[in-house]
Amino acid sequence: MRKVKLTNDTINGILENMLKRSPTSYGEYEKTVADIIANVRENGDKALFEYTKKFDKFDLNADNIKVSGAEIAAAYEAVGEELLGIIRKSKANIEDYHKKQAQNSWFTSTEKGTMLGQKVTPLETVGVYVPGGTAAYPSSVLMNIMPAKVAGVGTIVMTTPCGADGGVNPVVLVAAKEAGADEIYKVGGAQAVAALAYGTKSVPKVDKIVGPGNIYVALAKKAVYGNVNIDSIAGPSEILVIADESVNPTYAAADLLSQAEHDALASAILITTSEKFADKVGAEVDRLRAELSRNEIIEKSLDNFGYILIAEDMAAAVDAANAIAPEHLEIMTENAFEVMMKIKNAGAIFIGEHSCEPLGDYFAGPNHVLPTNGTAKFFSPLSVDDFVKKSSVIYYSREALGEVHTYVEKFAEAERLTAHALSMKVRFEK
């Protein structure tokens, strides 16, 4: 990790470096993704089967594309009671947290005969993409499905790649069943996104696609946006830790490593006012990472996007954090709650030395699908709001309209929209 003094130039350099990781910067993949989408849109299942054979080495067909009840039952046997119990506890925490976000329709009325309101309606069909490959992400399954279930989405369709034997990771299947997925299909990559966006004979079209994935998945979501809605185009993971000498440097080092192990493009940044503390954390990072299974990935991440920044004071540290707008922000300082109140831009804020980032990833309840690459300046975590739509409701009686119709007519005439004005006038002509 590079240790540098925190200045405006330093922050600008970091921001420029981090933006290089954005999926929107990888234009060379866009043609490949566009070709896949076009093929699926034109040839449907046939294209899905061919891509699955090519990329996943499995002979997919109309009879085995959908995960069966027998496969789910076998997954429960493979997972076992201990892990199942943990999944259920995590699910309960996520569900309880998201229930507090739920909104109801509301209406207000006056004695003059007007009623205004907002009608909240859940989406009918949502697609959840779950990555496959060597890793399994049951936590992402829970985080993407539970807010949709709380919102009242009618049908939740999940897609995930299968192995060469046609199997899907059993932990992923159990998490999906526990969360309430209605249908699960063995399709991955950009082709799965295309199938969800346009529909095939086997895979239904959805209204919105959520869930993480590789660069091909991210660009596919970007390409189909407008035909369907999407959650976001997520970039690589990132963590920023603001810490002082009041906390254990081992804690800060371990938390930085927890994100650096995601992939070589992940970012881990420490901001502190103490150079002595910075050196301790740096030494602990080197000591701890030597013991970790993904040390090679961690090394690349820290070499390219790892920083230890020495700030002049805590105000400068907060300003830097707000400029970076990190996905995960940990505040490990003597006055952590006071610092938290000054944070404007962050996906998730973890307060105190015992509120480590993995707690949010797996168990606490708030959603771990968070804005990345500085988009926390204007985006929010995935929530129940992402799975509902809102309609404005307007009612005026004739009496109520009579009091305001001339105002509307004059407004319309000022914009030279005479048909708008006519729509009012005909209601009051004799």
Side-chain angles (χ1 to χ4, degrees):
M1 297 180 75
R2 285 162 281 185
K3 186 178 76 171
V4 294
K5 185 176 181 181
L6 179 60
T7 65
N8 287 335
D9 288 342
T10 302
I11 292 300
N12 289 336
I14 290 173
L15 292 175
E16 185 177 346
N17 192 34
M18 290 178 69
L19 284 173
K20 295 175 184 176
R21 309 171 311 139
S22 170
T24 58
S25 300
Y26 291 82
E28 66 267 29
Y29 298 101
E30 289 182 347
K31 170 104 174 34
T32 300
V33 170
D35 289 344
I36 291 172
I37 291 172
N39 189 9
V40 173
R41 192 171 185 181
E42 181 177 351
N43 297 304
D45 279 354
K46 180 175 180 290
L48 293 185
F49 302 157
E50 289 173 352
Y51 285 127
T52 302
K53 180 66 174 177
K54 179 179 179 180
F55 298 127
D56 301 315
K57 314 304 180 188
F58 178 67
D59 286 315
L60 199 67
N61 58 55
D63 295 326
N64 62 22
I65 187 172
K66 188 174 181 179
V67 172
S68 68
E71 288 174 296
I72 293 174
Y76 272 84
E77 289 293 328
V79 166
E81 289 299 320
E82 182 181 16
L83 184 53
L84 176 59
I86 293 170
I87 288 172
R88 285 175 173 170
K89 288 177 181 177
S90 176
K91 175 204 164 190
N93 290 343
I94 297 167
E95 185 174 20
D96 288 345
Y97 180 86
H98 287 83
K99 279 182 176 178
K100 295 177 175 64
Q101 298 176 338
Q103 295 186 43
N104 296 317
S105 301
W106 57 267
F107 303 94
T108 60
S109 59
T110 68
E111 293 180 354
K112 293 182 177 180
T114 68
M115 183 186 75
L116 303 176
Q118 181 173 267
K119 186 175 182 293
V120 179
T121 308
L123 301 181
E124 290 185 13
T125 311
V126 166
V128 176
Y129 184 87
V130 178
T134 57
Y137 299 100
S139 60
S140 288
V141 175
L142 297 177
M143 291 291 181
N144 280 278
I145 293 179
M146 289 314 303
K149 292 297 289 186
V150 170
V153 171
T155 303
I156 298 174
V157 179
M158 191 178 103
T159 64
T160 189
C162 63
D165 62 352
V168 175
N169 187 287
V171 185
V172 167
L173 287 184
V174 168
K177 180 66 175 178
E178 289 292 317
D182 296 292
E183 303 169 15
I184 306 171
Y185 294 92
K186 303 174 185 179
V187 187
Q191 59 271 25
V193 174
L196 292 170
Y198 300 106
T200 70
K201 187 173 182 180
S202 297
V203 181
K205 183 186 184 308
V206 301
D207 298 317
K208 184 167 187 171
I209 302 171
V210 301
N214 61 18
I215 186 65
Y216 295 99
V217 171
L219 290 176
K221 287 169 69 177
K222 177 185 175 186
V224 301
Y225 175 66
N227 186 73
V228 294
N229 197 1
I230 63 171
D231 50 352
S232 64
I233 304 171
S237 189
E238 56 201 40
I239 186 171
L240 190 153
V241 178
I242 299 176
D244 60 25
E245 290 184 299
S246 69
V247 302
N248 189 327
T250 304
Y251 296 171
D255 294 356
L256 292 167
L257 292 169
S258 73
Q259 294 308 290
E261 77 169 343
H262 270 293
D263 63 61
L265 295 176
S267 172
I269 300 173
L270 169 71
I271 306 180
T272 181
T273 55
S274 167
E275 189 158 356
K276 182 179 178 182
F277 180 79
D279 290 338
K280 288 181 180 179
V281 173
E284 283 296 275
V285 165
D286 291 337
R287 181 182 71 83
L288 293 171
R289 75 180 176 87
E291 307 168 7
L292 298 173
S293 61
R294 296 169 69 88
N295 185 30
E296 188 176 335
I297 292 172
I298 291 170
E299 184 177 9
K300 290 178 181 178
S301 166
L302 296 182
D303 284 349
N304 293 319
F305 303 104
Y307 298 90
I308 296 177
L309 305 177
I310 313 300
E312 183 176 331
D313 52 34
M314 194 53 64
V318 169
D319 287 344
N322 283 326
I324 294 170
E327 178 188 18
H328 306 100
L329 172 64
E330 289 190 0
I331 304 172
M332 293 195 283
T333 63
E334 195 169 11
N335 57 343
F337 283 92
E338 182 181 330
V339 174
M340 182 271 292
M341 295 302 294
K342 298 174 182 176
I343 296 298
K344 299 176 182 178
N345 307 320
I349 304 172
F350 301 78
I351 304 172
E353 62 182 347
H354 301 300
S355 305
C356 58
E357 189 279 337
L359 181 66
D361 269 355
Y362 298 115
F363 200 76
N367 209 287
H368 78 196
V369 180
L370 304 167
T372 58
N373 268 77
T375 59
K377 292 178 180 177
F378 45 83
F379 281 145
S380 303
L382 192 72
S383 72
V384 172
D385 277 353
D386 288 292
F387 299 98
V388 299
K389 55 187 178 180
K390 300 168 185 177
S391 303
S392 302
V393 177
I394 300 169
Y395 166 79
Y396 268 59
S397 67
R398 179 174 177 79
E399 179 185 359
L401 188 64
E403 293 187 7
V404 301
H405 75 95
T406 56
Y407 305 148
V408 177
E409 290 168 20
K410 291 184 185 302
F411 223 137
E413 288 165 356
E415 294 187 352
R416 297 183 180 179
L417 297 176
T418 53
H420 279 62
L422 178 64
S423 174
M424 274 292 179
K425 287 178 179 177
V426 296
R427 284 170 165 75
F428 294 95
E429 291 176 344
K430 293 183 180 179

